[in-house]
Amino acid sequence: MDKKLAVYICTGCGIGDALDIDQLSGVATDDFKVPICKTHENLCSKEGAELIKGDIANEGANGIVIAACSPRVMYDVFSFDNVLMERVNLREQVVWVQPAGEEDTQMMAEDYMRMGLTKMKAMAPSVPFQPEQEMSRDILVVGGGVTGLTASLEAAKAGYNVVLVEKQDQLGGFQKNVAMRVSYPYKDLQKNDLDQLIEAVRKEEKIKVYTGAKVESLEGGPCVFKATIKENGSSADHNIGAVVQAAGWQPYDPGKLDPKLGYGASPNVVTNVQFEEIAKSGKITKPSDGGFVKSVAFLQCAGQRDRKHLPYCSSVCCFTALKQAIEVKRQDPKANAYVVYKEMRTPGQGEDFYRKAQEAGVIFIRSQDPEVALRGEELTVQAYDELLGDTVVLGSLDMVVLATGMVPTTALGEDLKAKLEQEQKKEGEPEVELLRPDYMYASDVLNLKYRQGPELPALTYGFPDSHFICFPYESRRTGIYPAGPVRRPMGVASSSEDAAGAVMKAIQCIELTSKGQAVHPRVGDETYPEFFMQRCTQCKRCTEECPFGAINEDEKGNPLPQTTRCRRCGVCMGACPERIISFKNYSVGMVGDMIKSINVPDEYDEKPRILLLACENDAYPALDMIGLRRMNYNAWVRVLSVRCLGSLNLIWIADTLSKGIDGVMLLGCKHGDNYQCHFIKGSELADIRLSKVKETLDRLVLESDRVRFDTVSITDYDKLPALLDAFAARLEEVGPNPYKGF
Amino acid sequence: MSNRVDPNLVSDLEAFGLKDAHKCYNCGNCTAICPLATPENPFPRKMVRYIQLGQKEKILRSPEPWLCYYCGDCSTHCPRGADPGETMMVTRRYLTSLYDWTGFSRKFYTSERFEIMAISVVALLVGMALLIFNTGNPNWEEAAINSLWPAEKIEIADLVMASVLSFLLLSNVFRCFRFIMGDLSFKIPLRLYASEFKELILHTITQKRFSKCSDGMQWFVHLMIMTGYASIFLLVVVFIRWFQRDLPEYPLSHPIRLLGYYATFAIMYGTTYAIIGRIKKKKPVYKNSHSTDWMFLILLQLTTLTGIFIHFARLLNWPATTYFLYVVHLMIAVPMLVLEVPFAKWAHLAYRPVVIYLLRVREKFEQEKPPPAVDTAGVEREGTSQGST
Ligand code: SF4
Ligand code: SF4
Ligand code: SF4
Ligand code: SF4
């Protein structure tokens, strides 16, 4: 494509007052020989947009550079078909953060203009990715409990075909064993309406149900998944668009509990799950002799919120205990029901249900470590009640019910992380810090044919989730969305909601992928990583480091990118030592050229330069935020937005420093267990890569203080100016970069 | 084992008027707001918790219910509508029944039927006694009560009644003393009991503690009823010879007459205020009325009313009306005294000052000699947890 560049400088929003626009235009017209360069006092107005459209139509302009506000705003106005576009952020990151009319402000604007034009020159038009196979729009739902059933129905209602796979012989999941239900609006016990839900799924033509079945293997990626489903010895293949993983949970093994809780000491000490089975039969009776119960103690947190067992709250067991206690009271209002709890937790609007139990006469005891004891024949619980400040004894109990918690199905099976770490150890001390393997268990749910392991990577406790606050339902495997208690402990009401949410995600994924576009967080991005395979050394860095497991590997170690799984983070691009992975509008060379286009005044001008590589997800918006608040920051800074710090290629550091720029700051998201990095591991990888930067610096005989890594979240914007000043001050101490002027 | 949870306590207390204590989630707002609770004796949350956990023993040994004057501040501020003030009231009823060794009090509180029956029976007995025991020689010319029932004879009956009442009440007070003081009962030197005695008198007369509550009106009403009742009690039991007087009436400035008027006014004012309050149910104190509360107010007001009528009938010199009203008056007053004083609401007149007094004594005793560590642990924990709420 022959590129005809056109630059549009907006003079509104204070830009025209703060800058010498003629001189700025000169950068485009003289330095870069751009044929069209126009200014407008209100570029985002209808007339402004028309101006650009006119040039596209009449002048054949196809490389549009808009020097105006942040690319994070007005993207709907500045949206033109079939052209390349780049935005130069003169407003939020120049005139709103620098004093008007100053020489340094002008220099900053001109540098950004150069960087934008350099990028535009290097950009190539992207062609949306289209796989060779036909793309499927069907949704696979794994797990036939309340979540899976609801998800299937929701998907069918939205017009998608569904393949529903349930491991057990019947649909229904855990709720099959439940007599009465606690759910929204939490005023009273409810009938379990599971049968209606199953009936509805059975009747729905769009849903193909497999029971007593499992997913034997799942390969491919969004819209090109191939699922092999095994049912009664025979297997069937399905082409799948996206997957909802609703594999549910298992109760914690009561055998592992502290003997103090008395499990096994008497047949009348049961778990909440066992109690449910008893209640399902219609009468609540003593397991030992079948007699009606007159006195029952419910012990909460049997293992939950205990480092030795399940460190997290299971969220439903308090409800369950309240429900079961009410059931005891219903059967016989004279019966005694005690609930011994650490903290009573009835999230959401559940408080009313607690009142309901109070109303029914349930006695609540707050105690951190109750003890079950058999005194001769008598079953008792002894507990220090914190609200009384004394120990009390519950005597003559017919039954003690232990509230065991939820273990996600994904936390069952062999610990693959431990296995990997074992192998790493065997290979000996690594020279450099290694990326920690993901939490993953061989739970036999999805059996992915992925290079990075067969199941969804998880968080610490085995719950799969990529980012629990910002993006529920996302997982680190594109197109696979966990929902229900497998994602986090939750009850029926939340599970149903979750199912709908996950289906929504699956549908988005199918729709975007079929257009060759990326899903969250770079929704709509049509570029994708392209590998120049001739120069690949089979080092496997990309296949190992891709946070989304999007690259498979052949036996020789050649990367096999599965583009529909790709989130376009660029981590592989940063990883590749051969620099052979690039996007049409983002590549190692392109960013390098942008860095090199920055004008570095020589030492005697006393105008140091700092390159700020800012992650586009939080750091860049935080910088915009400083502008929105009209705060100020250091005038030596030049911001370069990157897709993710994980796309950082070390050559950029060398490019920067050898150019004479005094320092580089990397600004990314928080990483670690409570990460906020939008690409999960990007910022962690950047940090690890930086540990190797010393080598580069040594080669250039430069101080390591010239490179600095920091993490921020968008809300930290107000701390950034001070952070930048501190870095500038440090650089001042270190002295100017000796490469200036080379 | 005393720390067993007795799940039936709550239902047992329902007969004493317990309604909302189960709603309490132990936030401690009530204790924080209560003007009378102290770190040493925090309430009412603690009592609510005792009830929820069926800690009968602990309740029995608690002085706190008697420290509460039921201003109702706690109930107003309870976020759960658990009505802790009423719960304190219920505990007082319950304690009255526990202190009472005859078991009569319990019946009285837990059965309305029994209450009405008992009052009726005593009333009938009094009526019959007055019909049987009299001079048989009434003065039909002039209204002269002494002509039928001479004051000296009534005085004898009075004294008999007073001794029976005192015996019952004092024996119950003694039990109260044993429960509250526990092991300490006889370890504290008598000197302390003696030196603090003035507190007992002071509190009884001024209701000083009550005035700390934010609703001054409640204190005033309580003071009126209390002093009115005490004055009239003095007149009919101690000064009956001078009080039960035939014409000519004392001059208006005569102390006996003045005291009589004060008592009448004070009681009428107090009871009318309380009755209206209980009907309107605006203040938390008056929201829940146990049958004994009504009985108490009605009997007291009727006694006073009939007393007023007698007074006027006498002044108008209507002999027959006067004698008839006299019988009615006693048929109301006597059951009230005989039943209410040792067994029901009136008993608090004795328990409250006694308990406050005992606490003072104990406090003094503990100041003099450091207390054993175990004893304070619970108190301190409770104290600090209250402090933080
Ligand atoms: S690292 Fe990022 S850009 Fe590269 S293949 Fe994986 S998801 Fe795509
Ligand atoms: S990182 Fe680069 S060289 Fe290494 S396997 Fe991937 S594409 Fe090949
Ligand atoms: S304020 Fe109400 S809920 Fe809170 S502790 Fe007192 S009685 Fe209980
Ligand atoms: S009624 Fe008044 S004195 Fe009694 S506990 Fe409540 S706030 Fe305290």
Side-chain angles (χ1 to χ4, degrees):
Chain A
M1 162 172 149
D2 270 351
K3 239 185 267 176
K4 182 166 183 187
L5 268 51
V7 173
Y8 300 89
I9 304 172
C10 181
T11 56
C13 290
I15 299 171
D17 304 331
L19 299 173
D20 181 337
I21 300 295
D22 288 341
Q23 214 178 312
L24 188 61
S25 305
V27 173
T29 50
D30 303 344
D31 302 358
F32 283 80
K33 308 278 179 265
V34 176
I36 305 171
C37 178
K38 294 183 177 170
T39 62
H40 194 277
E41 69 276 7
N42 191 3
L43 200 60
C44 61
S45 64
K46 200 159 168 271
E47 297 76 43
E50 288 305 325
L51 174 76
I52 301 170
K53 278 185 197 147
D55 288 348
I56 293 172
N58 308 326
E59 306 288 333
N62 58 8
I64 311 294
V65 175
I66 291 171
C69 42
S70 166
R72 297 177 48 80
V73 295
M74 300 298 169
Y75 40 80
D76 48 342
V77 180
F78 301 130
S79 156
F80 313 103
D81 294 334
N82 304 320
V83 295
L84 294 172
M85 192 169 65
E86 177 60 11
R87 305 268 303 263
V88 176
N89 189 348
L90 293 182
R91 193 178 73 171
E92 281 82 348
Q93 292 187 10
V94 182
V95 304
W96 281 359
V97 285
Q98 301 298 334
E102 297 270 323
E103 186 192 7
D104 287 331
T105 310
Q106 183 72 21
M107 288 177 97
M108 186 184 260
E110 288 174 16
D111 271 342
Y112 285 146
M113 180 63 88
R114 281 186 207 99
M115 289 159 79
L117 285 166
T118 308
K119 182 172 177 190
M120 176 49 75
K121 281 176 81 179
M123 261 178 3
S126 58
V127 185
F129 177 81
Q130 289 297 320
E132 284 153 26
Q133 310 94 297
E134 204 192 321
M135 290 202 265
S136 165
R137 298 168 63 81
D138 296 356
I139 294 175
L140 169 68
V141 177
V142 185
V146 167
T147 315
L149 292 167
T150 312
S152 304
L153 268 186
E154 293 285 348
K157 270 193 254 169
Y160 293 81
N161 291 322
V162 175
V163 178
L164 173 59
V165 180
E166 166 57 44
K167 189 169 64 186
Q168 287 174 303
D169 292 333
Q170 287 162 24
L171 291 174
F174 186 80
Q175 286 291 309
K176 275 204 311 278
N177 314 321
V178 171
M180 296 295 268
R181 179 178 276 181
V182 199
S183 187
Y184 183 83
Y186 305 104
K187 299 279 186 216
D188 206 343
L189 303 192
Q190 293 171 9
K191 284 243 165 58
N192 186 350
D193 61 0
L194 183 72
D195 290 342
Q196 279 146 271
L197 189 61
I198 295 176
E199 179 67 15
V201 166
R202 288 274 181 205
K203 272 206 210 125
E204 177 57 59
E205 283 168 12
K206 283 186 155 26
I207 305 175
K208 164 94 182 109
V209 179
Y210 289 95
T211 51
K214 69 169 208 174
V215 179
E216 202 173 36
S217 75
L218 188 61
E219 57 185 284
C223 289
V224 293
F225 279 120
K226 194 180 109 202
T228 307
I229 291 149
K230 199 162 159 194
E231 186 189 35
N232 304 325
S234 66
S235 64
D237 284 352
H238 284 275
N239 292 330
I240 296 295
V243 182
V244 173
Q245 203 271 44
W249 60 285
Q250 293 286 317
Y252 187 70
D253 176 4
K256 291 189 197 155
L257 292 174
D258 191 329
K260 254 176 45 180
L261 293 176
Y263 191 78
S266 152
N268 294 333
V269 179
V270 300
T271 68
N272 45 1
V273 179
Q274 289 163 320
F275 183 97
E276 210 53 51
E277 280 161 25
I278 298 172
K280 185 107 204 255
S281 72
K283 282 184 211 143
I284 303 166
T285 51
K286 263 161 78 164
S288 60
D289 59 9
F292 273 112
V293 294
K294 285 273 173 209
S295 195
V296 185
F298 295 87
L299 268 46
Q300 296 313 101
C301 288
Q304 294 89 295
R305 302 168 61 212
D306 178 344
R307 295 236 153 270
K308 291 199 285 294
H309 301 282
L310 298 180
Y312 50 87
C313 167
S314 279
S315 141
V316 296
C317 8
C318 279
F319 275 125
T320 306
L322 294 174
K323 176 187 75 171
Q324 295 175 341
I326 293 173
E327 284 179 304
V328 168
K329 281 282 189 185
R330 282 225 171 147
Q331 172 166 309
D332 176 5
K334 287 228 154 55
N336 305 316
Y338 308 94
V339 177
V340 184
Y341 64 96
K342 286 187 190 171
E343 277 82 31
M344 179 54 54
R345 292 188 168 183
T346 51
Q349 292 161 41
E351 181 79 2
D352 277 345
F353 200 66
Y354 165 68
R355 281 181 218 252
K356 170 93 196 156
Q358 279 189 324
E359 223 42 77
V362 176
I363 296 177
F364 291 90
I365 291 151
R366 179 175 170 168
S367 178
Q368 299 300 322
D369 56 350
E371 196 170 340
V372 179
L374 273 172
R375 304 180 184 217
E377 286 291 284
E378 192 196 12
L379 190 56
T380 65
V381 169
Q382 179 172 318
Y384 178 83
D385 180 84
E386 293 172 331
L387 300 171
L388 183 71
D390 204 350
T391 303
V392 291
V393 173
L394 313 175
S396 311
L397 297 169
D398 293 325
M399 218 197 272
V400 169
V401 184
L402 305 177
T404 51
M406 284 183 159
V407 183
T409 310
T410 41
L412 304 171
E414 191 192 0
D415 184 343
L416 299 175
K417 175 176 192 272
K419 195 171 146 194
L420 261 174
E421 280 166 346
Q422 208 58 43
E423 281 168 16
Q424 278 180 357
K425 242 195 223 140
K426 252 186 250 150
E427 284 167 19
E429 260 327 284
E431 285 155 42
V432 287
E433 205 184 327
L434 288 177
L435 186 64
R436 295 168 311 151
D438 291 327
Y439 291 92
M440 196 188 284
Y441 300 84
S443 49
D444 195 21
V445 176
L446 295 173
N447 292 307
L448 298 168
K449 294 278 167 279
Y450 284 21
R451 187 231 179 266
Q452 288 188 13
E455 299 294 335
L456 294 177
L459 295 172
T460 332
Y461 306 137
F463 292 94
D465 192 348
S466 82
H467 193 277
F468 47 93
I469 296 172
C470 299
F471 345 118
Y473 321 116
E474 290 289 352
S475 75
R476 298 180 210 176
R477 295 296 175 254
T478 312
I480 305 178
Y481 302 98
V486 77
R487 185 168 83 75
R488 67 166 174 77
M490 62 175 85
V492 169
S494 307
S495 296
S496 311
E497 248 171 50
D498 229 42
V503 166
M504 190 73 101
K505 279 275 169 187
I507 292 173
Q508 282 173 0
C509 174
I510 291 171
E511 295 306 322
L512 288 163
T513 307
S514 56
K515 282 188 256 166
Q517 295 176 345
V519 298
H520 180 90
R522 290 190 62 84
V523 179
D525 186 1
E526 290 183 347
T527 65
Y528 56 91
E530 290 167 79
F531 293 64
F532 184 67
M533 286 306 294
Q534 284 92 317
R535 286 216 329 261
C536 173
T537 58
Q538 292 84 30
C539 73
K540 302 186 186 176
R541 290 269 303 280
C542 56
T543 58
E544 267 166 20
E545 291 186 8
C546 171
F548 302 98
I551 312 174
N552 278 358
E553 220 174 82
D554 68 11
E555 325 69 68
K556 295 207 196 81
N558 282 309
L560 303 171
Q562 308 292 305
T563 306
T564 64
R565 282 190 223 157
C566 170
R567 304 266 183 107
R568 284 66 167 174
C569 60
V571 165
C572 50
M573 175 179 117
C576 181
E578 298 299 314
R579 286 172 246 139
I580 60 173
I581 305 175
S582 58
F583 297 78
K584 287 278 193 287
N585 62 0
Y586 191 59
S587 72
V588 177
M590 185 186 296
V591 173
D593 287 345
M594 286 168 78
I595 294 170
K596 287 177 204 148
S597 74
I598 295 170
N599 182 14
V600 184
D602 73 28
E603 199 185 325
Y604 308 103
D605 287 341
E606 294 189 1
K607 290 186 191 298
R609 287 291 175 257
I610 298 170
L611 178 70
L612 180 57
L613 292 171
C615 157
E616 68 180 8
N617 295 296
D618 262 46
Y620 193 87
L623 288 161
D624 271 2
M625 198 82 147
I626 301 176
L628 283 170
R629 304 271 158 175
R630 304 296 200 282
M631 291 158 68
N632 248 289
Y633 60 76
N634 197 292
W636 314 142
V637 170
R638 298 294 179 263
V639 178
L640 200 159
S641 164
V642 294
R643 291 187 173 204
C644 168
L645 274 196
S647 65
L648 166 86
N649 198 297
L650 282 185
I651 191 78
W652 295 345
I653 308 277
D655 286 344
T656 312
L657 295 175
S658 57
K659 166 88 184 166
I661 292 175
D662 299 87
V664 190
M665 182 182 258
L666 303 159
L667 221 42
C669 305
K670 212 174 103 188
H671 56 77
D673 276 343
N674 291 317
Y675 67 87
Q676 152 230 351
C677 173
H678 292 51
F679 295 110
I680 296 114
K681 288 189 244 176
S683 98
E684 185 176 2
L685 280 163
D687 209 1
I688 292 174
R689 281 178 208 152
L690 273 191
S691 62
K692 293 176 232 165
V693 84
K694 219 187 148 289
E695 219 176 284
T696 316
L697 293 172
D698 286 349
R699 185 157 43 82
L700 295 168
V701 206
L702 282 173
E703 303 77 0
S704 59
D705 274 8
R706 292 196 187 272
V707 184
R708 183 175 166 153
F709 177 93
D710 266 298
T711 59
V712 289
S713 73
I714 192 159
T715 46
D716 292 335
Y717 71 90
D718 55 332
K719 302 187 187 88
L720 282 180
L723 193 72
L724 293 169
D725 280 342
F727 186 47
R730 179 71 198 115
L731 290 175
E732 205 114 32
E733 281 168 36
V734 176
N737 184 336
Y739 288 89
K740 275 186 207 295
F742 272 88
Chain B
M1 205 175 305
S2 60
N3 57 351
R4 287 216 163 207
V5 173
D6 174 4
N8 300 320
L9 183 68
V10 170
S11 46
D12 196 14
L13 285 178
E14 272 161 17
F16 289 84
L18 190 74
K19 267 196 357 232
D20 298 313
H22 66 272
K23 293 182 185 160
C24 164
Y25 60 6
N26 286 277
C27 66
N29 271 335
C30 48
T31 307
I33 208 83
C34 175
L36 300 179
T38 57
E40 296 76 36
N41 295 102
F43 61 92
R45 186 201 68 86
K46 190 165 90 176
M47 298 310 298
V48 179
R49 191 67 185 146
Y50 285 172
I51 291 174
Q52 287 180 327
L53 291 190
Q55 300 290 300
K56 187 174 154 184
E57 281 292 308
K58 288 206 170 71
I59 296 173
L60 189 56
R61 294 181 193 291
S62 299
E64 285 86 357
W66 302 112
L67 304 181
C68 158
Y69 281 83
Y70 204 172
C71 61
D73 284 0
C74 52
S75 295
T76 312
H77 288 90
C78 170
R80 297 292 273 210
D83 211 346
E86 181 61 17
T87 303
M88 293 298 276
M89 185 70 224
V90 168
T91 328
R92 284 191 286 277
R93 290 184 198 127
Y94 182 58
L95 282 178
T96 306
S97 82
L98 289 179
Y99 295 158
D100 174 34
W101 54 272
T102 62
F104 211 70
S105 172
R106 188 184 169 84
K107 294 229 123 190
F108 206 73
Y109 270 127
T110 54
S111 160
E112 259 172 64
R113 268 203 18 210
F114 182 85
E115 185 185 3
I116 294 170
M117 291 269 293
I119 285 167
S120 316
V121 168
V122 178
L124 281 177
L125 285 176
V126 170
M128 269 154 60
L130 286 174
L131 290 185
I132 298 167
F133 303 107
N134 58 48
T135 58
N137 187 14
N139 184 345
W140 296 114
E141 308 295 312
E142 246 179 51
I145 297 169
N146 285 309
S147 71
L148 255 180
W149 300 286
E152 307 83 57
K153 298 278 157 50
I154 297 292
E155 186 175 29
I156 293 168
D158 257 0
L159 290 177
V160 172
M161 183 183 76
S163 20
V164 174
L165 289 189
S166 305
F167 168 70
L168 288 171
L169 189 61
L170 287 178
S171 57
N172 287 347
V173 166
F174 181 72
R175 280 166 57 83
C176 161
F177 157 71
R178 293 286 288 137
F179 288 135
I180 301 284
M181 298 304 260
D183 296 341
L184 280 179
S185 302
F186 303 113
K187 282 197 197 129
I188 298 180
L190 247 137
R191 159 178 69 81
L192 281 177
Y193 281 110
S195 72
E196 290 306 308
F197 198 73
K198 58 174 192 309
E199 277 292 315
L200 175 63
I201 305 294
L202 183 72
H203 270 286
T204 320
I205 296 174
T206 60
Q207 308 280 307
K208 210 168 72 186
R209 279 175 57 84
F210 202 170
S211 62
K212 279 206 251 167
C213 293
S214 56
D215 187 347
M217 194 60 196
Q218 263 342 92
W219 164 74
F220 181 66
V221 168
H222 192 256
L223 188 69
M224 288 296 256
I225 299 187
M226 205 281 296
T227 51
Y229 184 81
S231 323
I232 206 77
F233 194 82
L234 224 60
L235 289 176
V236 300
V237 177
V238 184
F239 299 116
I240 183 76
R241 286 185 199 207
W242 295 274
F243 184 61
Q244 180 174 314
R245 183 190 156 92
D246 297 335
L247 291 173
E249 185 56 281
Y250 290 123
L252 258 179
S253 59
H254 192 279
I256 293 276
R257 195 165 170 187
L258 283 181
L259 195 60
Y261 282 149
Y262 169 73
T264 312
F265 169 74
I267 295 177
M268 280 311 281
Y269 180 87
T271 51
T272 311
Y273 184 89
I275 287 175
I276 294 176
R278 286 199 186 272
I279 292 173
K280 283 198 178 158
K281 297 188 176 188
K282 277 243 177 65
K283 286 193 184 182
V285 222
Y286 292 143
K287 264 205 189 105
N288 301 305
S289 302
H290 192 257
S291 60
T292 51
D293 296 328
W294 284 117
M295 192 58 90
F296 161 76
L297 285 174
I298 292 169
L299 288 181
L300 193 53
Q301 196 157 55
L302 282 181
T303 310
T304 317
L305 274 175
T306 49
I308 295 172
F309 293 160
I310 296 174
H311 187 60
F312 283 114
R314 267 174 61 236
L315 290 182
L316 290 169
N317 209 354
W318 294 345
T321 319
T322 306
Y323 305 149
F324 171 71
L325 284 172
Y326 187 74
V327 174
V328 177
H329 181 64
L330 288 190
M331 282 174 73
I332 300 165
V334 174
M336 179 182 76
L337 289 174
V338 175
L339 296 171
E340 295 272 351
V341 171
F343 304 124
K345 188 140 176 156
W346 277 118
H348 84 269
L349 211 66
Y351 297 141
R352 191 193 305 279
V354 164
V355 169
I356 295 175
Y357 160 68
L358 289 176
L359 284 186
R360 290 280 303 198
V361 173
R362 191 159 77 187
E363 208 177 291
K364 277 271 141 62
F365 176 68
E366 275 160 8
Q367 273 169 10
E368 286 181 7
K369 152 184 163 209
V374 248
D375 228 336
T376 44
V379 170
E380 266 165 19
R381 187 162 328 127
E382 181 74 17
T384 44
S385 76
Q386 295 304 333
S388 62
T389 40

